[in-house]
Amino acid sequence: MTDRTLEYEGYRPAEERLRESLCTLGNGYFATRGALPECGADDVHYPGTYVAGCYNRLTSEVAGRRVENEDLVNLPDWLPLRYRLAGGEWLTPDTATVLDHRQTLHLEVGLLERRTRYTLGEGRALTVRQLRLVHMADPHIAALRTEFTAEGGAAELEVEAAIDGSVTNAGVPRYRDLDGSHLTHVQTGTATPGTVWLRCRTRTSDIRVALAARLTAPAPITDAPGPTRAVQRLTLSLTPGRTETVDKTVALHTSRDLAISDPLQAAVERVSAAPDFDGLPASHRTAWDQLWRRAELDVPGEAGSILRLHLFHVLQTLSPHTADLDVGVPARGLHGEAYRGHVFWDELFVLPYLNLHFPEVSRALLHYRHRRLDRARAAARATGRRGALYPWQSGSDGREESQRLHLNPRSGRWLPDHTHLQHHVGSAIAYNVWQYCEAGGDAEFLHTKGAEMLLQISRFWADSATWDESLGRHRIRGVVGPDEYHEAYPHSERPGLDDNAYTNVMAAWVLTRTLDVLRTLPAPRRRELVERTDLDDGETEHWEHVSRTLHVPFHDGIISQFEGYGDLAELDWNAYLERYGDIRRLDRILEAEGDSVNHYKASKQADVLMLGYLFSPTELQGLFDRLGYGLDEETWQRTVDYYLARTSHGSTLSGLVHGWVLARCRRSEAWKFCQEALRGDIADLQGGTTGEGIHLGAMAGTLDLVQRGLTGLETRAGALWLDPVPLPELSSYGFSIAYQGHWGIRLRLTSGRLEIAVPPSDLPPIDVELPDRSVGVEPGETATLVVPD
């Protein structure tokens, strides 16, 4: 790949799912996988189109139990366009002889190009070239241009285009025992000659969906609407060396859209008004140019090329169009059906990047959480606590969507799933509220919706903490940490663990930040908030006490992942590596053997070390000091080494967090983990998972690794704090950010020199805090600073 393209040469069926995910095109409103238009869903190909926030809930019978699941719905497929010689078989790379095949994703302009050359026998060949876009300026439009060129003789080519409403959610083999038929009431029709439509509804959420397709070609078109497919047919007379072009333009609307009456009417009107294919790219390209400028990134070499691909997919999932939607951060993008399109804690790795480029998108994503605050409060009440308990997995309405059973594909067994006990997701939301307001200076949001969320999350943590007289500290019991492997103590029938260090330290941080906000709230707003929430001085005094007395367990001079972690058995890592090779999903391996990862000191991903990802060394030491624990550099280094040796890296986030933490510790092995984070999706390091959807948190996190991790960039106390760390493998890089109203601030680091350029404006200067000095940079000025190693 290059800075501008991702290219695949040759047709390889085993790689198709991966290519489809990485060649997905989208605009923040909807996305379509990079599947070949002539191929339907099967074991090789999986076309899929997903609209952000379009969910549906179904109940299935699994392992003798009724299981309810909500999914991001695979909507009617607008791609189908197949072709054959008159009277022959349909041509596909699976059924015909392919002479050449190339697929190119043009990142700069959001265009997918495909070129395939088929042999037709008797010295004849057919070249098919396609250009596809999902429009970034008009979020409801997509288009496909197909060019046919015959060689060695004339040919009559039958072409069939369609909108297919018979699709189901079947993109993840592990979910195939679940009902995936989400669409009903499929109807098709003709709007005008050459334009067909299809409409349907989701079965339980009752979202109305409509697509309209306009076909243009140098031959008569026959419209043939059917029960579940709106079909259009034509025959091209190909002469050697002459290219014939068929253009398909599609409009997509749902009843969730703003400022429309009827989705079908809106789709038909939009596709009728849309320019022809030649007229679509100009505004599409302009929209992409604007996105690239706002997210300017200059990193040399292969790392830079992969980072641009990551940025491309982040922008396709969360674009400025997202600011108008009621959606969260889907962990696997809009690129597939893994995790059922649910919203986890991945926004913790995404929003810190967006805050400094697209703050309006960050704000919208936080609004998604605020709109579901009442549901989170109801969830807390259901556990007998006050405050807000946000779900580990969220979808349409904010209820807990975590599965209660999950399938281990190694053993074929459906097992209890306790990941809903990851209550730390509330702290991730609070962290994002704070980071967004610090970066953008959005006092209005902080003083209203932000303060409400912080207050209710703090209330939950304070109510969850119980006093242990023997320790003289508060404890939080019955939770699951970010590691996810450990859901219970060995041989315990009760799920959950006590005093997960990450959970407790984050709870203390949330309580502290919330108290800071309450102290600085304008008096009228504080009065309103107190009246609405029945907050009293006694409650805030309790929060102060809890924030200083939460228990953090230690063993052998290191921070314990949870109380009792030090008593678990050591795993023979070498033996398992020798036996299985890839042990990233150690939990599945052990369960298939009749064992449990709960017995061992083994983590899927960073847990304790997440603290080093979220906080600078100075801030982390301050947190532990406030809790009454000393955390010197030696203790932290021992903790890093301890868990590094006991982590299987069964998540794409693991390499990212470990690379970040090791870089901040100035460790030589940091680059190894940074590379793993960079290659997680493009090399499909998790063994086939990328074909089910990209890993959005890891992609955005690698961008933030350059933006904040290596530079030590923090936005706090009204200043930009910078403490760059040397990384020999990436010694020169640059990027631009938006900060507190200043747009297009450029930072470049080269061999110990930091350059900061602030664009001209009438805004006040930017205060920059370095480890050894403070600097003010006026708008219109460029400051070049020498930074210590």
Side-chain angles (χ1 to χ4, degrees), residues 444-747:
E444 187 275 334
F445 183 85
L446 181 63
H447 294 165
T448 55
K449 295 177 175 63
E452 291 176 33
M453 285 190 283
L454 289 170
L455 185 151
Q456 296 294 357
I457 294 167
S458 289
R459 181 171 270 168
F460 174 79
W461 283 132
D463 215 32
S464 298
T466 58
W467 181 254
D468 186 318
E469 194 65 45
S470 63
L471 287 175
R473 287 191 169 273
H474 282 93
R475 308 185 67 182
I476 297 177
R477 300 177 182 271
V479 299
V480 171
D483 159 39
E484 290 189 338
Y485 273 178
H486 295 91
E487 296 184 335
Y489 287 102
H491 311 298
S492 172
E493 295 184 2
R494 179 181 70 88
L497 304 158
D498 299 337
D499 298 314
N500 173 259
Y502 172 81
T503 299
N504 285 14
V505 173
M506 287 301 295
W509 179 88
V510 174
L511 289 161
T512 303
R513 291 286 78 79
T514 303
L515 290 167
D516 290 343
V517 170
L518 290 174
R519 279 191 286 268
T520 58
L521 272 180
R525 177 56 196 148
R526 179 183 171 89
R527 179 179 178 180
E528 292 171 2
L529 186 63
V530 166
E531 290 173 347
R532 288 181 58 186
T533 60
D534 293 326
L535 182 70
D536 59 44
D537 291 340
E539 190 172 4
T540 55
E541 289 172 6
H542 177 58
W543 293 1
E544 179 75 30
H545 186 223
V546 172
S547 75
R548 294 180 180 275
T549 57
L550 275 166
H551 177 51
V552 179
F554 285 75
H555 73 276
D556 300 333
I558 61 107
I559 305 168
S560 295
Q561 186 169 309
F562 51 82
E563 186 64 51
Y565 184 90
D567 299 327
L568 300 180
E570 291 285 6
L571 183 79
D572 189 341
W573 291 86
N574 290 332
Y576 275 88
L577 279 167
E578 185 175 340
R579 191 182 314 167
Y580 292 99
D582 184 350
I583 60 169
R584 286 182 173 90
R585 291 311 306 265
L586 185 63
D587 56 333
R588 292 174 176 174
I589 291 172
L590 289 169
E591 192 279 327
E593 292 183 345
D595 203 347
S596 170
V597 75
N598 286 328
H599 296 152
Y600 301 101
K601 297 172 182 173
S603 299
K604 174 184 175 183
Q605 58 190 333
D607 195 298
V608 172
L609 300 192
M610 273 297 301
L611 296 171
Y613 178 83
L614 296 180
F615 303 112
S616 68
T618 300
E619 193 169 6
L620 189 56
Q621 288 173 9
L623 278 170
F624 273 75
D625 286 345
R626 181 182 172 85
L627 285 165
Y629 298 100
L631 182 65
D632 56 28
E633 184 176 349
E634 183 181 346
T635 301
W636 179 247
Q637 293 281 6
R638 282 200 309 269
T639 299
V640 170
D641 288 336
Y642 184 89
Y643 290 106
L644 197 58
R646 293 166 175 80
T647 302
S648 71
H649 306 293
S651 162
T652 55
L653 294 171
S654 191
L656 167 68
V657 174
H658 284 87
W660 182 302
V661 170
L662 290 169
R664 297 306 306 171
C665 291
R666 291 166 164 77
R667 299 275 287 272
S668 60
E669 63 266 46
W671 183 242
K672 169 191 169 186
F673 290 97
C674 294
Q675 281 187 305
E676 180 165 326
L678 286 168
R679 295 180 55 77
D681 273 328
I682 196 167
D684 198 12
L685 294 182
Q686 294 293 327
T689 61
T690 301
E692 302 166 352
I694 54 111
H695 297 83
L696 193 68
M699 284 190 167
T702 58
L703 298 168
D704 203 33
L705 173 66
V706 174
Q707 176 177 270
R708 295 192 310 130
L710 300 184
T711 62
L713 190 156
E714 297 177 81
T715 54
R716 56 184 170 91
L720 281 179
W721 298 69
L722 291 158
D723 183 14
V725 294
L727 193 63
E729 296 85 353
L730 196 60
S731 59
S732 175
Y733 54 89
F735 53 88
S736 67
I737 62 171
Y739 171 69
Q740 302 237 346
H742 293 270
W743 291 84
I745 301 169
R746 295 187 177 186
L747 289 85

Side-chain angles (χ1 to χ4, degrees), residues 120-435:
L120 302 179
E122 299 177 352
R124 296 182 301 162
L126 175 69
T127 297
V128 180
R129 177 176 181 259
Q130 291 180 318
L131 296 173
R132 182 192 311 179
L133 61 83
V134 173
H135 212 275
M136 187 55 81
D138 185 335
H140 300 279
I141 290 289
L144 174 69
R145 165 164 284 182
T146 306
E147 299 171 349
F148 299 101
T149 308
E151 304 172 36
E156 293 291 300
L157 193 71
E158 296 177 358
V159 179
E160 180 185 280
I163 310 171
D164 184 5
S166 66
V167 299
T168 63
N169 277 52
V172 180
R174 298 183 303 284
Y175 304 161
R176 287 180 182 168
D177 287 348
L178 304 173
D179 189 350
S181 300
H182 292 282
L183 303 178
T184 187
H185 291 85
V186 179
Q187 296 176 300
T188 66
T190 300
T192 58
T195 299
V196 296
W197 54 262
L198 181 148
R199 66 179 172 189
C200 58
R201 295 172 180 261
T202 54
R203 283 172 57 186
T204 61
S205 56
D206 201 31
I207 298 171
R208 291 173 290 144
V209 180
L211 296 93
R214 185 186 71 206
L215 202 67
T216 57
I221 298 168
T222 301
D223 300 327
T228 61
R229 300 175 82 241
V231 178
Q232 296 173 288
R233 299 187 180 96
L234 61 106
T235 300
L236 296 174
S237 297
L238 301 181
T239 57
R242 179 182 174 86
T243 298
E244 301 291 355
T245 301
V246 177
D247 289 338
K248 183 179 186 180
T249 305
V250 175
L252 167 60
H253 277 279
T254 81
S255 54
R256 286 171 46 89
D257 296 345
L258 302 175
I260 68 166
S261 174
D262 171 56
L264 178 57
Q265 180 185 8
V268 170
E269 289 178 353
R270 189 173 292 270
V271 82
S272 299
D276 60 19
F277 192 93
D278 289 326
L280 286 171
S283 57
H284 174 67
R285 179 189 286 268
T286 298
W288 268 109
D289 285 346
Q290 292 171 350
L291 294 180
W292 288 120
R293 282 201 303 271
R294 287 178 65 177
E296 182 183 353
L297 178 70
D298 180 15
V299 176
E302 182 189 35
S305 297
I306 295 174
L307 285 167
R308 280 181 68 83
L309 177 67
H310 287 183
L311 178 54
F312 178 78
H313 284 299
V314 170
L315 295 176
Q316 290 197 121
T317 307
L318 302 168
S319 79
H321 297 301
T322 307
D324 294 326
L325 305 176
D326 177 31
V327 298
V329 176
R332 305 300 285 274
L334 300 174
H335 297 60
E337 295 162 14
Y339 300 163
R340 301 181 181 85
H342 291 167
V343 177
F344 292 70
W345 73 327
D346 296 70
E347 63 206 61
L348 185 62
F349 303 88
V350 177
L351 263 67
Y353 178 79
L354 294 177
N355 291 342
L356 296 171
H357 300 277
F358 302 94
E360 73 278 22
V361 177
S362 291
R363 182 181 172 109
L365 296 169
L366 292 172
H367 274 256
Y368 167 86
R369 292 299 194 178
H370 182 262
R371 292 187 188 100
R372 288 150 183 81
L373 179 59
D374 284 346
R375 175 72 76 166
R377 293 179 62 202
R381 286 196 299 273
T383 68
R385 301 173 204 172
R386 302 178 70 201
L389 171 59
Y390 277 96
W392 175 238
Q393 296 187 35
S394 181
S396 60
D397 61 9
R399 76 182 77 176
E400 179 60 78
E401 301 292 353
S402 296
Q403 54 199 7
R404 291 301 191 262
L405 293 174
H406 71 269
L407 176 68
N408 181 355
R410 278 189 174 270
S411 67
R413 288 188 284 267
W414 287 89
L415 307 165
D417 189 309
H418 303 298
T419 53
H420 65 280
L421 296 175
Q422 292 193 70
H423 298 164
H424 62 81
V425 66
S427 296
I429 294 167
Y431 183 89
N432 279 330
V433 168
W434 184 261
Q435 289 291 328

